[in-house]
Amino acid sequence: KDKSSASKDSTPGGAAKRQEDGAETSKQKLLDVIGGMKVEVSYRKKLQQLKASENKKQAMNKLEGPDSEGSVPQGITEDTQRGKPLNPELVKAASAVASSLPRNKKQTESELLAQLRRHEETTDKQKKGGTINIRNVISEMTIKKKSPAQRGVRISGRISLQLDEDGQRLRRERSSAQSVDSKRSLKVGKRLNIFTKASTEPEHALKTVSSPTIWDLEFAKEVAAVTAQPPRNGFEEMIQWTKEGILWEFPIDNEVGMEDDAEFHEHIFLEKHLEGFPKEGPIRHFMELVICGLSKNPYLSVKQKVEHIEWFQNYFEEKKELLQEI
Amino acid sequence: MAAVAVCWALRAARQVLPSPCPRQVRSYYVDWRMLRDVKRRKTAYEYADERLRINAIRKNAILPKELQEVADKEIAALPRDSCPVRIRNRCVLTSRPRGVKRRWRLSRIVFRHFADHAQMSGIQRAMW
């Protein structure tokens, strides 16, 4: 048993040595090996065989490189599948391996122990049944028999033209409907992070702007004319009128079309716009009256008020010569 | 991509073709006087702000009189159709300049015609 554990630890030892050599790829390989050591709930034997062959290959690659401790590859694969040794033995073995290596004993020992701890954690998780592995997702993919009822539903979903206002929203509705239909929904499960989130939205926007050909417009008009059925009852008529804008939306919103983002103080305290004017004299008096009137006006937006004041400023600038004669 | 373009075009088309139900569409103004009235309304809308500001300068006792005289000349120089006084509230359907009720923008004859055919909402023959 000691021999087996020792030989098992020799592979991480050998990998640790290569870590010190400074190649990152060996560390990756090591992690893959440790990750591959997990046993799946389903397709157990198949995956075991897969892993065995992988480990064999990787061990061969590692060991046939620079000369390391002589360990038999076949022995390693057997150990990885059997291996759930006790903790104190592991610790002993790790320390033994670290001591056997020429450089940085403490570092190798700590690294080995850390990796072993990780391995333990993952095996525990696996026992409970919560593995997080990409192989999990692939194992989940089974060939499912579509029932004829479901098939009918999907086809009908595709045919019914749910013409929405936003074309993009239409597509999302369809996809979400399909995801809801199938038992294995699209949004559940771990993200594979295989595809980078390419920005497709601006591409689509550019494409739609650049190619609204006349034929497209004509086709769209035809489709709209065909699909727009006359309203079957009063409710549908009212819906149509609301969409056209003939009927208001209820409950009545008093501020429809009025987007006043400015706070009340921007409407009332307009003195800061009076900086371009002389501080004394009839013009100042006049502008203060103007500002008083504007502050009491609820119908203008802040932008319009500012425009008024700026116009007066320009006007008095132009008439400066005339004013100085007076 | 093509689907998206079609959907976008659909949206545009729906704005162009509001509904399939036939409605009375008027493509011409009733007569030339109505057209001139429409032009006057447009220019009055464009020059409304300027007129307001120049009149504010003219109609006050604070600013010097020379300035007000200059403003007088300026406002006289604006196009004649820009003053709101020249707008006449004509009947929308017949372009009749007199006898137009403001609430419905219709002349009395048209109003009576529609009311008798029960096409005016909330209008009933008076009887008391």
Side-chain angles (χ1 to χ4, degrees), chain A residues 267-315:
Chain A
H267 276 107
I268 293 170
F269 302 113
L270 297 162
E271 277 165 10
K272 58 185 171 183
H273 302 290
L274 272 193
E275 281 161 19
F277 293 95
K279 297 223 170 174
E280 286 177 348
I283 295 178
R284 183 78 185 191
H285 188 24
F286 173 73
M287 286 314 296
E288 278 174 11
L289 285 176
V290 165
I291 274 172
C292 178
L294 283 176
S295 68
K296 292 185 190 176
N297 189 336
Y299 301 108
L300 296 179
S301 67
V302 175
K303 204 180 163 193
Q304 286 169 318
K305 293 182 186 178
V306 169
E307 274 173 17
H308 275 295
I309 296 170
E310 280 172 8
W311 184 91
F312 276 117
Q313 199 166 4
N314 288 333
Y315 185 79

Side-chain angles (χ1 to χ4, degrees), chain A residues 163 222-231 240, chain B residues 14 17-21:
Chain A
L163 293 171
E222 262 186 65
V223 171
V226 164
T227 56
Q229 304 294 326
Q240 208 172 30
Chain B
R14 206 175 294 110
L17 270 183
S19 74
C21 310

Side-chain angles (χ1 to χ4, degrees), chain A residues 163 165 167 170-171 207-208 212 216 220-221 228 241 244 282 285-286 289 308 311-312 315-316 319 322 326, chain B residues 1 4 6-11 13-14 18-20 23 52-54 56-57 60 62-63 66-67 70-71 74:
Chain A
L163 293 171
E165 273 151 14
L170 164 68
R171 273 193 292 126
K207 278 174 191 171
T208 49
D216 284 340
K221 279 184 203 171
W241 285 347
E244 289 172 25
H285 188 24
F286 173 73
L289 285 176
H308 275 295
W311 184 91
F312 276 117
Y315 185 79
F316 289 126
K319 308 293 171 188
L322 182 70
I326 305 163
Chain B
M1 185 283 247
V4 174
V6 166
C7 289
W8 181 89
L10 253 173
R11 192 174 14 133
R14 206 175 294 110
S19 74
R23 291 216 184 103
L52 174 73
R53 291 155 189 165
I54 297 174
I57 293 172
N60 63 38
I62 309 161
L63 295 173
E66 292 84 357
L67 197 63
V70 169
E74 273 192 18

